[in-house]
Amino acid sequence: MSTLKRRDFLAAGALTTLAASAGASVRPQRREPGDDHRGPAVIASGNGLAAATRAWELIQQNRDTAEAIVEGVRIIEDDPNDMSVGYGGLPNEDGIVQLDASVMHGPTHKAGSVACIEDIKNPAAVALEVLRRTDHAMIVGPGAKRFALRMGFKEENLLTDRARETWLRWKRNSTKRDDWLNDDELDWQFDDQGHGTAEQARALGLDAPDFTWGTVHCSALNAGGDLSACTTTSGLSWKIPGRVGDSPIIGAGMYCDNDAGAAGATGRGEAAIHSCAAYQVVDHMARGMTPTEACLETLRAVERRTKQKRLLNDKGQPSFGLSMYAIRKDGAFGGACTHPGGSFAVAAEGLAEVRRCVPLFE
Ligand code: ASP
């Protein structure tokens, strides 16, 4: 906390003054313990404790915040057991892994992103190269892969056996009106290869929900008051090839304003895109909201804008999951989610833990 420079404290104070004069929030603000934190910290989605911890170590060694978080999320991208990010991520409906990622660097207010990139394990690092070495913000598809290869990234098969089996099981069971036999139509079951019944798949630890989301977000604030944000994902499993989620969309899946804060999203990407969710969180913090309140207020806007009946539950609430994570310029941090169960990770002085996101609907 004491490492924040005086001008940063003044900037943080100015945020509150600005909010008061703008009459930004009349509702009492939700305040969680993280909202009272001050000074440098790294936050991540709940699956990103290792990423946050690594990024925290690196910013202690004076590494740039964008480099630190990209190095942090690399751990999750490289992990074949996280089936929602990088290597081992679940593929699209054709069985091809297509990854999305973005990075935003507070001090230069530059962003870089890649979408639908294939055969490259660390899309966040590629996004950082887009940011650093080009005048573009976003490169997609085959162009993103060519760019990565030119930058020296290695071409690799990202589809692990486990992800391929999970995809194949989804594919053969998704409809009876094709030539793939569903599990309950097989004449005999294979024994030990994981090609058989749902029970066998479960026994082999191959069971996955029919439809999965999953992403890692990470944002950092260093002692000098500089911020960066990064989000990386394999996106929605079984997506239509070419589908781009919110993660690489600057302002939706992540956003950073060095004068205000950084934020990110995981969950239903289309909802985050339709509401420019990460941008909104940062904007709310610029107007003086606590990070927790800024995340909740954004989710309230998402709720208000969810008009399609198929996306509403019997209480008229959005039925999908969307989680928002935020860190403010002064070091306050928080997270919120639509329904109970969301979590976020934090690493800071004396802290490395996963905390619960505040749910909008209890
Ligand atoms: N937001 C990601 C997407 O829609 C998925 C997720 O976070 O679960 O691609």
Side-chain angles (χ1 to χ4, degrees), residues 30 44 125 187:
R30 180 74 186 237
D187 288 332

PDB file of all heavy atoms in Angstrom, residues 30 44 125 187:
ATOM      1  N   ARG A  30     -22.324  -1.686  -2.671  1.00  0.00           N
ATOM      2  CA  ARG A  30     -21.918  -2.965  -2.110  1.00  0.00           C
ATOM      3  C   ARG A  30     -20.418  -2.908  -1.855  1.00  0.00           C
ATOM      4  O   ARG A  30     -19.645  -2.516  -2.724  1.00  0.00           O
ATOM      5  CB  ARG A  30     -22.256  -4.071  -3.117  1.00  0.00           C
ATOM      6  CG  ARG A  30     -21.898  -5.450  -2.672  1.00  0.00           C
ATOM      7  CD  ARG A  30     -22.871  -5.922  -1.612  1.00  0.00           C
ATOM      8  NE  ARG A  30     -22.431  -7.210  -1.074  1.00  0.00           N
ATOM      9  CZ  ARG A  30     -23.181  -8.307  -1.087  1.00  0.00           C
ATOM     10  NH1 ARG A  30     -24.400  -8.280  -1.550  1.00  0.00           N
ATOM     11  NH2 ARG A  30     -22.717  -9.429  -0.589  1.00  0.00           N
ATOM     12  N   ALA A  44      -7.669 -12.410 -10.733  1.00  0.00           N
ATOM     13  CA  ALA A  44      -7.913 -13.334 -11.849  1.00  0.00           C
ATOM     14  C   ALA A  44      -9.264 -13.996 -11.632  1.00  0.00           C
ATOM     15  O   ALA A  44      -9.824 -13.941 -10.528  1.00  0.00           O
ATOM     16  CB  ALA A  44      -6.812 -14.400 -11.915  1.00  0.00           C
ATOM     17  N   ALA A 125      -0.015 -14.456 -25.421  1.00  0.00           N
ATOM     18  CA  ALA A 125       1.315 -13.955 -25.789  1.00  0.00           C
ATOM     19  C   ALA A 125       1.298 -13.422 -27.224  1.00  0.00           C
ATOM     20  O   ALA A 125       1.990 -12.440 -27.540  1.00  0.00           O
ATOM     21  CB  ALA A 125       2.353 -15.068 -25.630  1.00  0.00           C
ATOM     22  N   ASP A 187     -24.450 -51.443 -30.405  1.00  0.00           N
ATOM     23  CA  ASP A 187     -24.744 -52.869 -30.252  1.00  0.00           C
ATOM     24  C   ASP A 187     -23.911 -53.474 -29.140  1.00  0.00           C
ATOM     25  O   ASP A 187     -24.309 -54.393 -28.475  1.00  0.00           O
ATOM     26  CB  ASP A 187     -24.451 -53.610 -31.556  1.00  0.00           C
ATOM     27  CG  ASP A 187     -25.501 -53.248 -32.596  1.00  0.00           C
ATOM     28  OD1 ASP A 187     -26.633 -52.931 -32.180  1.00  0.00           O
ATOM     29  OD2 ASP A 187     -25.176 -53.253 -33.792  1.00  0.00           O
TER      30      ASP A 187
END
